[in-house]
Amino acid sequence: MELAELVRLTFAEDLGPGDITTDSCVPTDAEGSGRIYAKQPLIVSGLLAAAECFRQQGVDLVAAVSDGDRVIPGQDVARISGGLQGILRAERPALNFLMRLSGIATHSALVVGAAEGKVRVVCTRKTTPLHRSLEKAAVRHGGGHNHRHGLYDGVMIKDNHIIAAGGITAAVRAARERVHHLVRIEVEVEDMEQLREALAVGADVILLDNMDDRGLAEAVAITGGRAQLEASGNMDAARIAALKDHGLDVISVGGLIHQARWVDLSLRLDP
Amino acid sequence: MELAELVRLTFAEDLGPGDITTDSCVPTDAEGSGRIYAKQPLIVSGLLAAAECFRQQGVDLVAAVSDGDRVIPGQDVARISGGLQGILRAERPALNFLMRLSGIATHSALVVGAAEGKVRVVCTRKTTPLHRSLEKAAVRHGGGHNHRHGLYDGVMIKDNHIIAAGGITAAVRAARERVHHLVRIEVEVEDMEQLREALAVGADVILLDNMDDRGLAEAVAITGGRAQLEASGNMDAARIAALKDHGLDVISVGGLIHQARWVDLSLRLDP
Amino acid sequence: MELAELVRLTFAEDLGPGDITTDSCVPTDAEGSGRIYAKQPLIVSGLLAAAECFRQQGVDLVAAVSDGDRVIPGQDVARISGGLQGILRAERPALNFLMRLSGIATHSALVVGAAEGKVRVVCTRKTTPLHRSLEKAAVRHGGGHNHRHGLYDGVMIKDNHIIAAGGITAAVRAARERVHHLVRIEVEVEDMEQLREALAVGADVILLDNMDDRGLAEAVAITGGRAQLEASGNMDAARIAALKDHGLDVISVGGLIHQARWVDLSLRLDP
Amino acid sequence: MELAELVRLTFAEDLGPGDITTDSCVPTDAEGSGRIYAKQPLIVSGLLAAAECFRQQGVDLVAAVSDGDRVIPGQDVARISGGLQGILRAERPALNFLMRLSGIATHSALVVGAAEGKVRVVCTRKTTPLHRSLEKAAVRHGGGHNHRHGLYDGVMIKDNHIIAAGGITAAVRAARERVHHLVRIEVEVEDMEQLREALAVGADVILLDNMDDRGLAEAVAITGGRAQLEASGNMDAARIAALKDHGLDVISVGGLIHQARWVDLSLRLDP
Amino acid sequence: MELAELVRLTFAEDLGPGDITTDSCVPTDAEGSGRIYAKQPLIVSGLLAAAECFRQQGVDLVAAVSDGDRVIPGQDVARISGGLQGILRAERPALNFLMRLSGIATHSALVVGAAEGKVRVVCTRKTTPLHRSLEKAAVRHGGGHNHRHGLYDGVMIKDNHIIAAGGITAAVRAARERVHHLVRIEVEVEDMEQLREALAVGADVILLDNMDDRGLAEAVAITGGRAQLEASGNMDAARIAALKDHGLDVISVGGLIHQARWVDLSLRLDP
Amino acid sequence: MELAELVRLTFAEDLGPGDITTDSCVPTDAEGSGRIYAKQPLIVSGLLAAAECFRQQGVDLVAAVSDGDRVIPGQDVARISGGLQGILRAERPALNFLMRLSGIATHSALVVGAAEGKVRVVCTRKTTPLHRSLEKAAVRHGGGHNHRHGLYDGVMIKDNHIIAAGGITAAVRAARERVHHLVRIEVEVEDMEQLREALAVGADVILLDNMDDRGLAEAVAITGGRAQLEASGNMDAARIAALKDHGLDVISVGGLIHQARWVDLSLRLDP
């Protein structure tokens, strides 16, 4: 869904048939201005969504920082100005986007930082329905990377696919015949035998799920650079720090998104 | 947005032009069945959304528990059966709903429990865009209550409304003239003078934002039952426990929703 | 539905794949201007919808009066100017909105006037599908008030709800537990026994449907101000005039909307 | 708009985020049945819309009569059965369709009857936005006929088109070149000179707007069967009765639809 | 579907969650300009669609020619200027519209030219789903005419309708009763007996499908101007040239659209 | 867009406010059955779309062959049965899908066959707006393969991207940083110098556009298997036959889709 449509639906949800408080109390021609500022240290994400909220209510937003910037408590994130009715209607939806997404960026930075740039840390498909693009951008704002966006832009062959296809070799060949040549094929393996079969059939990426350190090391040695290696399974900052030098290419962490909490931002109108 | 439409858009996001892995590897007539179970103690929420995900992929879901039930690690939440392609496509979206919403129910139960039923604990409009109905239901599954659903089903007169309207008295009168007689009018007050003005004009509910214990006690005494009293501002379980006997009617806590993390559930196919 | 979307669908209905007359006969660069005026005495409603019709066709509308204003035959309601093709396309849809809604405002004023401001006269959920917000606004333009907007912003417990819930007391308690604290609970009662039960359980509003004058007077006496009282059932101007001093809070009249006929307005292009 | 979509939006309007009364008071598994019956003499229209309302709430509707049938007070129009929650939710929207459309059919029958079948009486584009197909069907159920459905399925050249095109002859030729050969071209004329020009260029239908009886008679004589003749302008039953033998082909009457009021129908649940 | 919506969906199809190449490589503030030019002789169609593609990406398009103009290889069709990201995103969709539609216009001109203006050559309902309006316009740009737009703006009674209705006479009468008076009724006939029945009941247009030259000539003679005659069935330029003087009114040719191939246009950015 | 939605919009386009012929002439309870058969040799594609057309009109379609099957003139492709009104309404849209898509499959088979399986022949983004998924499937049914589906599931760095990014090396690095690890990066090169730079920075796929045979051979030699090589530019069967042994990995041909014409299929009702 495009951002403009997402925001339109957000207002449909919140406004319904009308903002009965503002309609009653605020003249249609009243103007106002104000600032959105951080109430805790955080990394900003969601400025485009917030700006779109205000835009759809006829209010201008001028960003004071960029997505991905680190701000301190009290620092301005944006200034807004326009009709007072529009400001009051856009305030909550805009902050809901900003607080959620900045929370994800801030949390991602913590986890990703443990890798010290030595291994690519990526998020997964564990995202909030209809917010995937925004959440994946928030991960990037926090210094992380993304995995495939959905089921259509990457092949990930898991255990049930392997069983249904009749083995890793058959599954990889079927996928290669079907998909276009700009898409890589990833296979999830459970042991070294499966790893060897995946390498033999030319899998491009191999997912090592829930392996211990020893298993990961063995997989790296067996692979010898013939495929990209991705590790996953209950990854947090500590485990990533421990694994960052193991020669893995990618570590995937659903928690970049789903273990993040909202951070605190506020809008204050100018007196 | 209706649930069916929300789920339809969720699949549009994840499937895009097609699930290229499953299309390649899994025969269209392969059947399967399996179970969704908890991997940690949690309170269930989101069964309707999960069921709708499977339904839209032609898969049956039979719930083993109800929304609001407390389950233990390993306990089944639902059983599913149907086409294997559909199961594999619905798995991630269904779990994304279940894990998020059960996370909110579980977290809400913790916070709400501190009130020991002596004061109504409610969530706010700090919700994830397009997920408000589901999140508010999750709060109820965790034992909490809801505040107004949006800007259309309750009047909440805040400081900027008061300024724009020319005072509390004018604002309340304007709202009463405009809104229907089944909607109550709530006014946010900052001090005892404002409280007295709100009471005098017949406000139905009064919001005491960020007041300390002493202020809250004074407000309760002044009000003397003439209006409902709601307290808000950085409320957590400890503060709620401390306030539960103060004579307040409602405590509102945005964190019921925005400080919750996903809990862990998994889908396992039958061998 | 937002007004812009309602108008968009209105053009989809009328234009379909194209206005074959105007496309054939009117150059795309022809300009024009004109006036919309009343052809009978009426109260104006629908200016926003009419303006949106012209706006979507690239034509400016400048209102000469406001919604709720009383105008006389021949008086201008608005002036329009812009592309001639757009004017010709917007004319019929814009007038369809204006004539319908002004008809409702005009009829409402007649009925509501009978109350002489001594009792609040409100419309009901008997509205034209997809036009509820506009029709309810037209009632307000005619001096009336609204009832709840839909099933979501007010509780109205009717006979079948009472039976299903197991009595008035159970129904009111169930509703109070479920709904938020800014929503009032209304109960429809058929006799004084039910009225007493509703009062005892603390119903906020009580609907007295199809009661005769004597019954209404008795209900007012019993209630003694402990709840708001609403009367309904075949109400017209005469009955309202007769009841206006009975001490009722609200009289609800579906006919404000569904017994209104269109009034006559016309668009004339400047020579 | 398809009927199913119209009804879906109707529920979106009325239900919003949920029917808080029924959700609170009526068990999800409660069943019920009932009848929809007339409370005054009327001609039925809108059964498909009413049935769709109930169908979308999981309730069966079995019609007892057909659209276009005349029914007497107390006569059943349909029986319904299914879940009680669904019945209570569909009741109001379904009746809103039935009462409006039966009102149009009933009013149309009155007006159309005056023609005694000697001239075709048709409605116009003065219809309620988004309800045109239903309202035009209601006119047919009342014995009337329709005019073009919109701007795309018939050419109607009015005074402003004539001016913009540079005369009747130029306008008719431009339209004939542009439109397909199954669409007739109608021209509105103001006097006998215009009538002669329209006949000379081969207009298929000629609209005589607001002419008196003498003018209409002269137009019929001049035309001599070379084109269809349509009269319009403040037509009611009396004028139609007076004109029915004048040799006109069509009389168009916007009031078939816009001067109709709702008729009274009710739903009663079985005890 | 309106053009703006068609183009919006076109971008949804091509852009999905984002243009990952341009997002990576092209600064958001880079500007550019360029030209769209023909790479072969062709007749232009689709300028409005192409302009809408660029408009939705914030890019201006200034047409150098008009739809229906014949251009030579190397000739400019339009110039564009604006943000480079927008240009790169709109390029392919805009050219897809232009190349397809200009292909239809160019092919139509070839076929229609064979008629030398002596008989109206029209396209049919064999069109690409969702592109009918654009394709029918392309036929007009190539000098052809259109048939009815869909099932709603013309009556076409075919063999199965005749059987279901119980004969030509019954079918024509049923249609005339049902449809409005600006719509003509066409009947498909297989032989001279059916032709005579259709003429007797007053069919407005008669379709002679797959008749040989002798049959067509006989039909023209029998009809004697009492109805319009349309011939169809495997028509190409040669057959049209042969039939152009036979006295037919219309020849319908699905191949104007479905036998056209795309022509070649290209966009070149200014250095 | 999902297929069901595409078909729904297709009916909206063709049916508009109603099929006035069938509504007039065919009883709602008339039943029928029939066959869809080929009128020329062809390869079938589009069965799912055709089946969805009939399904949405309440008609069953049972396929007699599969997409990708080669059929001879007179051979059945499917049988249909159900309500006669539904059959008559679905006939044209269903055949429009089948004839177009089978035309693409049939044409693709001709072109792809020239490669004798020695090089992968793929289509491009030159597709009909909103029909891309169906057209790409038709290419596969004809034995071809697909390129990326849109701008989101593959990186294709063209000349303007290279200029904007400041060179091939910078562009590839920027893309690799931004996109996920299952997406390959393709670079379009114009000469051997660019090829060497692309290889040096590790481009995964290299596009050789409009190179002659000698250039292609040189590129293959230089590359030495370090990247996939794709050739494009005015490719037809003859050129593909000539290039099939050159060691290229992929040849891309827009004409698989845009040079295809519809093939002929027909629906005949059973007597």
Side-chain angles (χ1 to χ4, degrees), chain B:
Chain B
M1 196 184 317
E2 294 168 42
L3 181 57
E5 176 70 359
L6 179 62
V7 169
R8 198 186 66 71
L9 291 169
T10 299
F11 280 117
E13 178 184 65
D14 196 37
L15 282 172
D19 175 358
I20 54 180
T21 309
T22 301
D23 284 351
S24 305
C25 300
V26 180
T28 54
D29 58 354
E31 300 274 321
S33 62
R35 50 189 284 262
I36 297 174
Y37 64 99
K39 299 181 75 172
Q40 68 178 84
L42 56 86
I43 292 176
V44 177
S45 182
L47 281 169
L48 288 178
E52 179 65 17
C53 290
F54 285 102
R55 193 193 66 75
Q56 290 194 10
Q57 295 293 334
V59 177
D60 284 329
L61 178 148
V62 178
V65 297
S66 299
D67 281 332
D69 283 356
R70 202 174 280 272
V71 297
I72 57 172
Q75 186 176 345
D76 278 8
V77 164
R79 283 198 55 80
I80 48 109
S81 60
L84 190 54
Q85 286 200 338
I87 292 173
L88 294 171
R89 281 176 191 137
E91 175 182 358
R92 186 74 267 136
L95 288 177
N96 285 354
F97 279 109
L98 264 184
M99 291 164 71
R100 286 190 80 246
L101 296 169
S102 300
I104 291 169
T106 304
H107 180 65
S108 291
L110 259 173
V111 179
V112 172
E116 293 177 16
K118 296 179 177 168
V119 59
R120 180 178 272 226
V121 180
V122 307
C123 54
T124 69
R125 282 170 57 235
K126 292 180 183 171
T127 57
T128 306
L130 278 56
H131 291 258
R132 183 169 289 173
S133 286
L134 291 172
E135 291 181 342
K136 284 183 171 274
V139 167
R140 296 199 304 271
H141 295 144
H145 287 77
N146 300 144
H147 209 305
R148 60 176 176 166
H149 198 281
L151 297 174
Y152 53 89
D153 65 339
V155 172
M156 170 76 84
I157 298 172
K158 300 194 177 182
D159 51 354
N160 289 306
H161 296 106
I162 293 170
I163 295 168
I168 286 176
T169 302
V172 171
R173 286 188 179 148
R176 188 171 293 141
E177 171 61 21
R178 168 66 177 74
V179 305
H180 67 79
H181 55 291
L182 295 194
V183 160
R184 286 202 179 84
I185 295 171
E186 180 163 12
V187 182
E188 180 179 337
V189 302
E190 294 176 358
D191 53 34
M192 299 308 137
E193 187 181 2
Q194 284 197 321
L195 172 62
R196 287 195 176 89
E197 182 177 354
L199 290 170
V201 71
D204 303 300
V205 187
I206 291 167
L207 177 64
L208 311 164
D209 193 32
N210 283 319
M211 282 195 186
D212 59 17
D213 287 16
R214 188 191 184 115
L216 293 173
E218 188 180 353
V220 170
I222 289 171
T223 301
R226 284 178 290 165
Q228 294 185 43
L229 288 181
E230 172 183 341
S232 68
N234 295 315
M235 293 290 174
D236 56 17
R239 186 89 202 281
I240 291 170
L243 288 173
K244 68 177 186 290
D245 299 308
H246 272 51
L248 296 163
D249 299 281
V250 176
I251 297 176
S252 48
V253 191
L256 297 186
I257 289 168
H258 66 59
Q259 295 304 304
R261 291 166 164 170
W262 296 23
V263 288
D264 206 3
L265 293 122
S266 191
L267 182 153
R268 180 160 302 174
L269 286 182
D270 300 329

Side-chain angles (χ1 to χ4, degrees), chain E residues 151-214:
Chain E
L151 297 174
Y152 53 88
D153 64 341
V155 172
M156 171 76 84
I157 299 173
K158 299 194 177 181
D159 51 353
N160 290 305
H161 296 106
I162 294 170
I163 294 169
I168 285 175
T169 303
V172 171
R173 286 187 179 150
R176 187 171 293 142
E177 171 61 20
R178 168 68 176 75
V179 304
H180 67 78
H181 56 290
L182 295 194
V183 161
R184 288 204 178 83
I185 294 171
E186 180 163 13
V187 182
E188 179 179 337
V189 302
E190 294 177 357
D191 53 35
M192 301 307 137
E193 187 183 2
Q194 283 196 322
L195 172 61
R196 287 193 175 89
E197 184 177 353
L199 290 170
V201 72
D204 303 300
V205 187
I206 291 167
L207 176 64
L208 311 164
D209 193 32
N210 282 319
M211 283 195 186
D212 58 17
D213 287 15
R214 188 190 183 117

Side-chain angles (χ1 to χ4, degrees), chain E residues 63-235:
Chain E
V65 297
S66 298
D67 281 331
D69 282 356
R70 202 174 282 272
V71 296
I72 58 172
Q75 186 175 346
D76 278 8
V77 165
R79 282 198 56 79
I80 49 110
S81 61
L84 190 54
Q85 286 199 340
I87 292 173
L88 293 172
R89 281 177 191 135
E91 173 182 0
R92 186 73 269 136
L95 288 176
N96 285 353
F97 278 109
L98 264 184
M99 291 165 70
R100 285 190 80 245
L101 296 169
S102 299
I104 291 169
T106 305
H107 179 65
S108 291
L110 258 173
V111 179
V112 172
E116 294 176 14
K118 296 180 177 169
V119 59
R120 181 178 273 226
V121 180
V122 306
C123 55
T124 69
R125 282 170 56 234
K126 291 180 183 171
T127 58
T128 306
L130 276 57
H131 292 256
R132 184 169 288 173
S133 286
L134 292 172
E135 291 181 341
K136 283 183 170 275
V139 166
R140 295 198 304 272
H141 296 143
H145 286 79
N146 300 144
H147 209 306
R148 60 176 175 166
H149 198 281
L151 297 174
Y152 53 88
D153 64 341
V155 172
M156 171 76 84
I157 299 173
K158 299 194 177 181
D159 51 353
N160 290 305
H161 296 106
I162 294 170
I163 294 169
I168 285 175
T169 303
V172 171
R173 286 187 179 150
R176 187 171 293 142
E177 171 61 20
R178 168 68 176 75
V179 304
H180 67 78
H181 56 290
L182 295 194
V183 161
R184 288 204 178 83
I185 294 171
E186 180 163 13
V187 182
E188 179 179 337
V189 302
E190 294 177 357
D191 53 35
M192 301 307 137
E193 187 183 2
Q194 283 196 322
L195 172 61
R196 287 193 175 89
E197 184 177 353
L199 290 170
V201 72
D204 303 300
V205 187
I206 291 167
L207 176 64
L208 311 164
D209 193 32
N210 282 319
M211 283 195 186
D212 58 17
D213 287 15
R214 188 190 183 117
L216 293 174
E218 188 181 353
V220 170
I222 288 171
T223 301
R226 284 178 290 166
Q228 294 184 43
L229 288 181
E230 173 182 341
S232 70
N234 294 315
M235 293 290 175

Side-chain angles (χ1 to χ4, degrees), chain A residues 6 24 28 33 36 38 52 65 88 99-100 112 144 149 163 170 173 189 216 233 236 255 258:
Chain A
L6 179 63
S24 305
T28 54
S33 62
I36 298 174
E52 178 66 17
V65 297
L88 293 172
M99 291 165 71
R100 286 191 77 246
V112 172
H149 198 282
I163 294 169
R173 287 189 178 148
V189 301
L216 293 173
D236 56 18
H258 66 61

Side-chain angles (χ1 to χ4, degrees), chain A residues 191-211:
Chain A
D191 54 33
M192 301 307 137
E193 187 182 2
Q194 285 196 320
L195 172 61
R196 288 195 175 88
E197 183 176 353
L199 290 170
V201 72
D204 303 300
V205 187
I206 291 167
L207 176 65
L208 311 164
D209 194 31
N210 282 320
M211 284 196 186

Side-chain angles (χ1 to χ4, degrees), chain C residues 14 96 125 129 131-132 151, chain D residues 14 96 125 129 131-132 151:
Chain C
D14 195 37
N96 286 354
R125 283 170 57 233
H131 292 256
R132 184 169 288 173
L151 297 174
Chain D
D14 196 37
N96 285 354
R125 283 171 56 234
H131 291 258
R132 184 170 287 174
L151 297 174

